[in-house]
Amino acid sequence: MDLCYTSTVVPRLIRDLGAARKNISYNNCMTQLFTAHLLAGVEIFILVSMALDRYVAIVKPLHYMVIMNRQRCSMLIFMAWGVGFWHSVALLLVVLNLPFCGPNQIDHYICDVKPLLKLVCKDIHVVNILMIANSGMVVVAVFLVLVASYILILYNLRTCSSLGRRKALSTCSSHVMVVILFFVPCIYIYVLPAGSENKDKEISVFYTVIAPMLNPLIYTLRNMEMRIAMWKVWSKMAHSKFR
């Protein structure tokens, strides 16, 4: 999902950085809007599924194989795609019905809903509310659910031994880092209305480029065998360099 999501943004961004004319057709713009929100929505609900997985593994370890069976995991992935699809369709339908006029210049590196709303030649007060309800409130609600899940995990860890607490927290640490990198910038972007003067372009880089780039590294470094293998490779490289 990280690879697919960032592929909707980064190739176009690299192309625009080296191009004299940074233009995009209307159809391509709408396609990027739909695809980016679809894949971001799926990513968000996969993170929720991962939080559920960690909650069950830590709080109810003896029932883990029964609760998190293959059928339930498949259902969670199917739900993530379904919710992401309806979110992006609803957003696209709102944008397609808006009248655009004036200078068709998007002050952003991606065709997102907020920079597009600034080009609309009518009152966007109602549309702003719909946008915040569709994107902002959903992101905030999901983030609060994730925070609540980790509060419950910490509450249940109070009776565990110090070794058990360390193992449980190390299991959750990578997921917490990914959630913070992705959700905090998203909340900043989508809770504020389109007319606000803010650092949208700079903040968007965190969840469109930096977070997907760091996620594989964050998850990989959790694995002890992977850390040992990487250390061996780096040691051989350093040894051959200074030999």
Side-chain angles (χ1 to χ4, degrees):
M1 285 311 303
D2 287 329
L3 179 62
C4 293
Y5 173 56
T6 196
S7 295
T8 65
V9 178
V10 175
R12 183 84 203 186
L13 173 60
I14 294 172
R15 180 258 186 194
D16 286 343
L17 288 174
R21 289 191 63 194
K22 302 171 177 59
N23 58 340
I24 185 171
S25 68
Y26 178 80
N27 289 337
N28 286 344
C29 182
M30 294 300 109
T31 302
Q32 189 182 51
L33 173 70
F34 174 81
T35 309
H37 277 268
L38 167 65
L39 298 174
V42 176
E43 175 116 359
I44 284 171
F45 285 95
I46 285 178
L47 289 173
V48 174
S49 302
M50 291 170 69
L52 174 64
D53 177 77
R54 279 149 178 76
Y55 173 80
V56 175
I58 293 169
V59 178
K60 298 186 177 182
L62 299 179
H63 299 90
Y64 179 82
M65 297 303 296
V66 176
I67 297 173
M68 297 303 294
N69 54 47
R70 183 173 293 275
Q71 183 181 4
R72 184 162 283 115
C73 290
S74 300
M75 183 190 71
L76 289 170
I77 297 299
F78 179 77
M79 285 177 60
W81 277 99
V83 174
F85 177 78
W86 286 112
H87 157 71
S88 54
V89 165
L91 204 62
L92 183 65
L93 290 176
V94 171
V95 174
L96 286 175
N97 289 318
L98 295 174
F100 294 101
C101 56
N104 295 324
Q105 186 172 351
I106 302 171
D107 186 23
H108 214 288
Y109 61 87
I110 180 175
C111 278
D112 203 0
V113 62
K114 283 185 70 176
L116 286 173
L117 288 181
K118 294 178 182 179
L119 308 180
V120 176
C121 51
K122 75 169 190 177
D123 182 31
I124 60 169
H125 180 71
V126 175
V127 180
N128 261 327
I129 294 173
L130 290 174
M131 186 273 293
I132 292 172
N134 184 284
S135 299
M137 292 300 103
V138 170
V139 172
V140 171
V142 172
F143 182 71
L144 291 176
V145 168
L146 292 171
V147 170
S149 71
Y150 279 105
I151 290 173
L152 288 173
I153 288 172
L154 291 173
Y155 178 77
N156 283 276
L157 285 177
R158 73 193 192 284
T159 57
C160 297
S161 63
S162 58
L163 178 62
R165 281 197 293 270
R166 280 199 301 272
K167 285 186 67 176
L169 292 174
S170 68
T171 302
C172 299
S173 59
S174 57
H175 187 253
V176 171
M177 290 174 65
V178 171
V179 166
I180 291 172
L181 279 172
F182 192 87
F183 275 87
V184 172
C186 279
I187 290 172
Y188 175 86
I189 293 294
Y190 292 109
V191 168
L192 297 175
S196 300
E197 291 297 327
N198 46 43
K199 302 287 185 179
D200 280 5
K201 282 188 289 188
E202 293 83 350
I203 301 297
S204 297
V205 173
F206 282 94
Y207 65 86
T208 57
V209 180
I210 295 175
M213 179 183 68
L214 292 179
N215 284 358
L217 181 64
I218 292 170
Y219 288 125
T220 299
L221 292 178
R222 255 200 72 236
N223 189 292
M224 180 62 73
E225 289 81 5
M226 184 61 74
R227 289 204 298 268
I228 293 171
M230 290 172 69
W231 176 254
K232 287 179 179 178
V233 171
W234 289 336
S235 298
K236 287 180 181 178
M237 291 172 63
H239 180 71
S240 61
K241 183 178 179 180
F242 294 105
R243 189 168 56 187

